[in-house]
Amino acid sequence: MPPPVIPATLQLTTIPAAAVLQGVRVSGPVTRDQLVASTGLSAATVNRQVHALAASGLIVERPDLCDPGAIGRPKNPLTLDRDSLCVAGIHVGARRSVLAIADLGGRTLYSHAVATPAGPTRAAVEALCAQLKELADRFSGRRLLWGGAAIGGAVDVDTGVVDHPVLGWRGAEIGPVLARILDVPVSVCEHVEAMAAAELLLTHPRVDGGSGLFIYARETAGAALTIDGRVHVPARGAGTIAHLPVNAPVIAGGYARLQQVIGRNAARTASELRGIPVTASQIVDERARVLGESVALLRDVINPDSIVVAGDAFSAHPDGLAPVQAAFNAATTVSWPLEIAPPRFGVRVQESAAVVVALSVLYADPVGAVV
C-alpha cells in the first residue's frame, strides 16, 4: 500500500512538541532553559518534548557549541538535524514548475525549474513526479521525510486530486502519484495558500500577528487570507480573484477581467482588439494601476492588518511596487495608510510554497508525523 496523502497544516500549532521544534528552528542553537522562557512551557514539559524530538531524529544536542567560558556545568545547546533529513516539494505552474529539496529548517538544498509538461494529464503528472524523485535520489545520504505539491486550480486536500483549468487537467491524481513515486507521505495544497503559509512558517514569526492578505499575480491570480498565524483554507477550496472587473483601456480596450490584464499576452490582446500600437511602458504602467486598484478593492472589503503581494505581474514594473502602491493609495477608501509589502522570499516564492507544503505537517505535529 502506498504512503498516504495528508492535508497540509498551514498554521502554527500549540502542540508542545511543535512549540519546542519551532523554538529550536527559530532560535537554535538554544538551551532547554531558553526554550522554557520562549515557549512558556514548564521545564518538565520541555524536557519530555526534547527527548521525544531527539528520539525521532529531528533535533540534536550540540555539546561542541557550549560556551567554553561558562561557569559550572554547561548546558548543551539544541539544534535541528539539518544534515540527516530532507523533504521534497514541487510548485506546479502554468508554464514552468519548480522542484526543490530542503532540510528540516526549510533551507533549500537544491532547486531548479522545468517546463510543465503538456499532453495527457496522467502522463504529465507522472513525468513531473518522476523528475522530483530523480532530484530527491541525489540526496540519498539523507532520509526523505515528506513530499509536497503546491498547485493552482481546485485542490482536494484529502485525496490530493486536482482540477487545473489553465493546464487542462481534470481529476489529476498528483497526490497519490507523488506518494507512490517518492514512497513517503505527501501533502497537496493550493499554491497561493502555500505561499501565504511560507510567510508564516518558514521565517521568523511576525510580531504583529493579526490578519494578513497575500495576493499572487503571474499567469494566474489568487489571494489567501491569514488570521492569527493560520492560513484560512475554505472547506470547498480556494476562491478566485481572476474574474474581478477592472478598467483597462490600453490593454483590453475598456472594461476587462483581472486575468486579462496580468496575462503575458496582454499586448497582443490589445493589438487584436483595437488595432492600435501599444508600447511596453504603457502596458506595465496600466498593469500596475489595475493591480493597485484591485488590491485596494480587496483591502476595502477585508481590511487586513497587512498585505503581501507576489508574482511577476507585481514585480515587472521598472519602478517596482511604487506605482502599485500609488494606485492603491488613490483607490482605497479606508482612511488609515497601509504599505504593500513584497514576499520575504522574493523571486523564490514558488520554491518556498513547494517546501512549506512538504514541511507543514511535520511542523504541526512533529513526533506524530515521523512515527
Side-chain angles (χ1 to χ4, degrees):
M1 179 177 292
V5 175
I6 298 177
T9 308
L10 306 183
Q11 65 180 59
L12 300 169
T13 68
T14 57
I15 294 174
V20 171
L21 185 67
Q22 172 78 342
V24 174
R25 184 191 71 81
V26 172
S27 304
V30 61
T31 66
R32 288 170 170 80
D33 288 346
Q34 290 169 328
L35 287 171
V36 169
S38 65
T39 64
L41 300 171
S42 70
T45 299
V46 167
N47 277 327
R48 284 196 298 271
Q49 304 314 316
V50 166
H51 286 306
L53 292 168
S56 299
L58 301 178
I59 65 174
V60 292
E61 292 201 44
R62 294 291 303 275
D64 56 306
L65 298 178
C66 286
D67 182 0
I71 299 174
R73 182 181 177 183
K75 297 182 178 181
N76 292 337
L78 303 160
T79 67
L80 296 180
D81 187 342
R82 292 181 175 269
D83 299 321
S84 304
L85 311 170
C86 68
V87 296
I90 183 169
H91 175 271
V92 182
R95 297 174 182 268
R96 65 168 200 158
S97 296
V98 177
L99 314 175
I101 305 297
D103 68 13
L104 186 60
R107 179 186 61 184
T108 300
L109 303 173
Y110 186 84
S111 70
H112 70 269
V114 298
T116 302
T121 299
R122 181 74 183 189
V125 170
E126 291 272 356
L128 278 176
C129 295
Q131 290 180 81
L132 185 58
K133 168 65 172 173
E134 180 183 355
L135 180 58
D137 285 346
R138 300 182 195 177
F139 294 84
S140 57
R142 294 173 178 262
R143 178 188 173 193
L144 180 64
L145 291 176
W146 211 275
I151 185 170
V155 179
D156 185 328
V157 296
D158 294 312
T159 64
V161 175
V162 178
D163 290 336
H164 197 302
V166 175
L167 290 174
W169 291 3
R170 186 167 184 80
E173 297 183 341
I174 190 167
V177 172
L178 188 60
R180 170 175 56 81
I181 290 178
L182 291 182
D183 196 28
V184 295
V186 305
S187 300
V188 183
C189 179
E190 197 280 330
H191 68 151
V192 182
E193 293 173 354
M195 293 173 192
E199 295 282 313
L200 294 175
L201 302 180
L202 298 185
T203 62
H204 285 269
R206 293 186 184 273
V207 296
D208 52 0
S211 61
L213 183 63
F214 189 101
I215 302 172
Y216 177 78
R218 196 164 181 251
E219 286 96 348
T220 59
L225 181 65
T226 62
I227 304 172
D228 293 333
R230 173 180 60 86
V231 179
H232 173 60
V233 180
R236 290 180 173 83
T240 178
I241 61 173
H243 67 293
L244 287 180
V246 298
N247 184 16
V250 170
I251 292 179
Y255 284 93
R257 302 293 181 181
L258 180 61
Q259 186 65 56
Q260 291 176 265
V261 175
I262 65 171
R264 290 188 174 182
N265 293 324
R268 190 180 71 183
T269 300
S271 298
E272 290 175 350
L273 288 176
R274 306 178 69 219
I276 299 174
V278 178
T279 66
S281 62
Q282 286 176 297
I283 290 174
V284 294
D285 285 345
E286 180 137 302
R287 182 181 294 160
R289 178 187 61 78
V290 167
L291 286 168
E293 291 173 354
S294 298
V295 174
L297 175 63
L298 294 171
R299 184 268 179 104
D300 290 355
V301 173
I302 299 172
N303 199 15
D305 298 309
S306 62
I307 297 177
V308 175
V309 298
D312 291 354
F314 283 105
S315 60
H317 198 284
D319 296 327
L321 287 179
V324 178
Q325 181 74 55
F328 170 87
N329 293 343
T332 183
T333 62
V334 178
S335 59
W336 56 273
L338 181 62
E339 184 174 0
I340 298 172
R344 297 184 185 187
F345 292 93
V347 297
R348 294 173 45 240
V349 65
Q350 293 94 354
E351 177 186 303
S352 71
V355 169
V356 79
V357 178
L359 281 171
S360 70
V361 177
L362 292 165
Y363 282 179
D365 185 12
V367 176
V370 175
V371 171

